[in-house]
Amino acid sequence: MTSSNGQPLLALDDVHVYYGNIAAVKGLTMTVMPGEIVTLIGSNGAGKSTTLRTISGLLRPRQGHVTFEGKRIDRTAADEIVRRGIAQSPEGRRIFPRMTVSENLDLGAFLRKDRDRIAADRERVLELFPRLRERITQKAGTMSGGEQQMLAVARALMAKPKLLLLDEPSMGLAPVLVDLIFETISTIREGGTTVLLVEQNALAALRVADRAYVLESGLLNLEGSARELARDPEVVRAYLGG
């Protein structure tokens, strides 16, 4: 699904990211079109989370450009990137354990100016995750791992992003909850939010995504439609247990 003018919502052009002298991402070029679910797959240490942190403004590329809606954001502060319409549900959830579910959701909307619409968006998020409505006054740290993951995604959605970055949303979850999370990702896209998904569970990611990029040691190894890559012998052997 693309916009009428065919312009990417997000584009990375020859992006190189380092930790000290160690190159974590090496010349990555990729796009995300409006309305797509795009997934980044690869083994641990491939540079997937580093890519998301760079898009979010938490890391700066040493070389290359990141553009969002046609404007460069690779030198933009992280809070301004959220204001422009990118929100991230980070690896490891990073919810605030001593705050209630309700307070965590409020924090997600902290930078928004359209205060009159926040209540409606909160209701939409609670419809998406009914379990959170049941736990609304509960301290977030006392919930199960699956419920905390739902809260992390819901908190990111409260920023009302145009682009939602999801970093390992299925990590550590029981299979039934993994299925629920991926069904919800499809629903989020149907609601008009573009999704860039980093995921160890390559099979689940390729089932839900439109397109995929495969990273290996910071380098782009393969790219294409998710359906094609799910049948690619190299991907099957390396990531799908074939």
Side-chain angles (χ1 to χ4, degrees):
M1 202 188 308
T2 62
S3 65
S4 56
N5 62 7
Q7 291 298 309
L9 182 65
L10 176 79
L12 279 68
D13 181 22
D14 191 31
V15 167
H16 296 251
V17 186
Y18 285 74
Y19 293 105
N21 293 322
I22 299 168
V25 174
K26 307 165 187 173
L28 178 59
T29 294
M30 60 173 284
T31 58
V32 179
M33 304 303 288
E36 280 192 313
I37 299 175
V38 173
T39 187
L40 276 175
I41 61 174
S43 55
N44 275 334
K48 307 184 303 296
S49 293
T50 298
T51 299
L52 291 195
R53 288 170 65 80
T54 304
I55 295 164
S56 293
L58 301 172
L59 295 171
R60 295 271 182 257
R62 192 174 291 185
Q63 182 182 323
H65 300 159
V66 180
T67 58
F68 180 66
E69 296 189 310
K71 295 176 182 172
R72 279 188 65 176
I73 58 168
D74 48 88
R75 292 291 179 269
T76 302
D79 61 327
E80 177 59 26
I81 287 173
V82 175
R83 284 192 183 93
R84 290 196 191 184
I86 299 177
Q88 180 168 355
S89 173
E91 182 181 4
R93 295 151 200 160
R94 308 276 177 89
I95 49 120
F96 294 94
R98 295 182 182 178
M99 291 184 172
T100 64
V101 168
S102 182
E103 289 165 340
N104 270 272
L105 293 177
D106 288 343
L107 281 173
F110 182 70
L111 292 174
R112 286 178 57 175
K113 296 281 193 284
D114 57 340
R115 311 307 292 179
D116 55 322
R117 297 188 183 176
I118 289 174
D121 287 333
R122 171 190 275 251
E123 185 59 29
R124 201 168 296 122
V125 160
L126 293 175
E127 284 173 11
L128 204 56
F129 297 106
R131 194 84 59 89
L132 296 182
R133 192 191 298 277
E134 297 167 14
R135 305 278 190 270
I136 197 74
T137 60
Q138 191 170 325
K139 292 275 195 292
T142 65
M143 299 198 302
S144 71
E147 289 164 346
Q148 290 184 23
Q149 184 60 67
M150 292 173 195
L151 179 57
V153 176
R155 183 182 61 189
L157 285 172
M158 284 301 296
K160 204 169 186 179
K162 297 169 187 172
L163 175 64
L164 176 64
L165 308 179
L166 295 176
D167 196 350
E168 304 286 7
S170 79
M171 184 183 282
L173 300 187
V176 64
L177 283 176
V178 172
D179 291 344
L180 178 60
I181 288 289
F182 280 98
E183 282 172 23
T184 305
I185 291 168
S186 291
T187 305
I188 289 167
R189 185 262 291 276
E190 287 163 13
T193 304
T194 304
V195 178
L196 177 57
L197 167 68
V198 157
E199 182 53 60
Q200 282 280 141
N201 188 336
L203 187 59
L206 290 171
R207 278 185 187 140
V208 78
D210 301 299
R211 292 189 302 114
Y213 293 87
V214 181
L215 292 182
E216 198 169 293
S217 302
L219 290 164
L220 180 59
N221 187 25
L222 290 166
E223 63 179 288
S225 81
R227 189 173 292 179
E228 287 167 2
L229 287 180
R231 294 195 298 260
D232 184 289
E234 188 179 337
V235 174
V236 171
R237 186 172 60 252
Y239 306 108
L240 305 182

